[in-house]
Amino acid sequence: MRRVVVFGTTGSGKSTLAERLAGQTGLRIVELDALFWGRDWQPTPLDLFRYRVECETRDDGWIVVGNYGQVRDLVWPAADTLIWLDLPLPLVMWRLVRRTVQRAVTREELWGTGNRETFRNAFLSRQSILLWALRTHRRNREKFALECGHLAGHKRIVRLQNKREIERFVEAV
């Protein structure tokens, strides 16, 4: 396990799992959100985003965190292990609400971009991360199941569907 991708729906615990794995393996984390988002929540132009991802995954020894379809063709083929966090929607929403409220209260800066989550954006906006999670959870599950099915004979795919499975996996690493 030298080139790992941790993916799953918004709020599934991708970054938390990646941090735990990095602590055990010494692999460095490549956070796709940090490569994609600029100041004021402006997305990075696609060519630049892809270039950044290529540079970060050129060498061995990484854990990529994220779901960006724009770079999946760069990241997934290079990975030796794909870890899919496929958690139930109620658990995902609980975690996401808790994380979002905590970030809004503490005004935590995200990815060194100056971006912060706010109560207004989380609860009163059409761009709410909470709405995004509700809208995309089932669609992501279906898409990831299909994509993993195509890669099953070529990659190590680990599908974790609850907290117990996550803990067992981390302990076994």
Side-chain angles (χ1 to χ4, degrees):
M1 204 167 75
R2 298 287 309 148
R3 295 175 315 277
V4 180
V5 177
V6 178
F7 65 99
T9 196
T10 302
S12 60
K14 298 178 297 292
S15 296
T16 301
L17 177 59
E19 288 171 14
R20 292 179 69 190
L21 294 175
Q24 287 184 266
T25 63
L27 300 175
R28 70 186 167 80
I29 295 175
V30 178
E31 183 76 54
L32 293 181
D33 282 334
L35 301 178
F36 182 78
W37 292 110
R39 290 209 168 281
D40 299 319
W41 295 103
Q42 292 301 307
T44 298
L46 181 57
D47 290 344
L48 179 56
F49 179 45
R50 288 179 62 84
Y51 174 77
R52 288 175 175 173
V53 171
E54 285 176 327
C55 290
E56 292 292 329
T57 58
R58 187 172 292 139
D59 297 327
D60 215 18
W62 44 259
I63 302 171
V64 169
V65 180
N67 295 328
Y68 288 83
Q70 305 96 311
V71 294
R72 193 165 295 133
D73 64 311
L74 302 173
V75 177
W76 284 31
D80 57 44
T81 305
L82 303 173
I83 303 172
W84 175 14
L85 290 176
D86 183 22
L87 301 177
L89 181 60
L91 177 58
V92 167
M93 291 306 297
W94 164 246
R95 287 179 171 184
L96 189 57
V97 167
R98 189 177 65 205
R99 179 189 82 184
T100 301
V101 167
Q102 181 180 0
R103 285 179 174 176
V105 167
T106 63
R107 306 272 305 136
E108 176 184 345
E109 182 179 339
L110 303 174
W111 318 296
T113 60
N115 295 330
R116 291 176 168 77
E117 291 189 30
T118 65
F119 287 107
R120 183 172 184 236
N121 285 345
F123 295 100
L124 303 173
S125 167
R126 289 186 180 170
Q127 285 76 40
S128 165
I129 194 165
L130 303 172
L131 284 176
W132 175 257
L134 284 171
R135 288 183 188 140
T136 61
H137 185 270
R138 187 166 81 191
R139 181 176 54 205
N140 280 342
R141 175 176 274 167
E142 293 167 357
K143 176 177 62 177
F144 295 149
L146 186 64
E147 291 175 357
C148 288
H150 293 314
L151 294 171
H154 310 285
K155 299 281 178 192
R156 177 182 183 207
I157 299 172
V158 180
R159 183 177 182 182
L160 304 171
Q161 296 182 284
N162 58 55
K163 291 188 269 187
R164 188 177 320 119
E165 289 179 2
I166 293 168
E167 290 308 314
R168 270 193 245 133
F169 177 76
V170 170
E171 289 172 11
V173 168

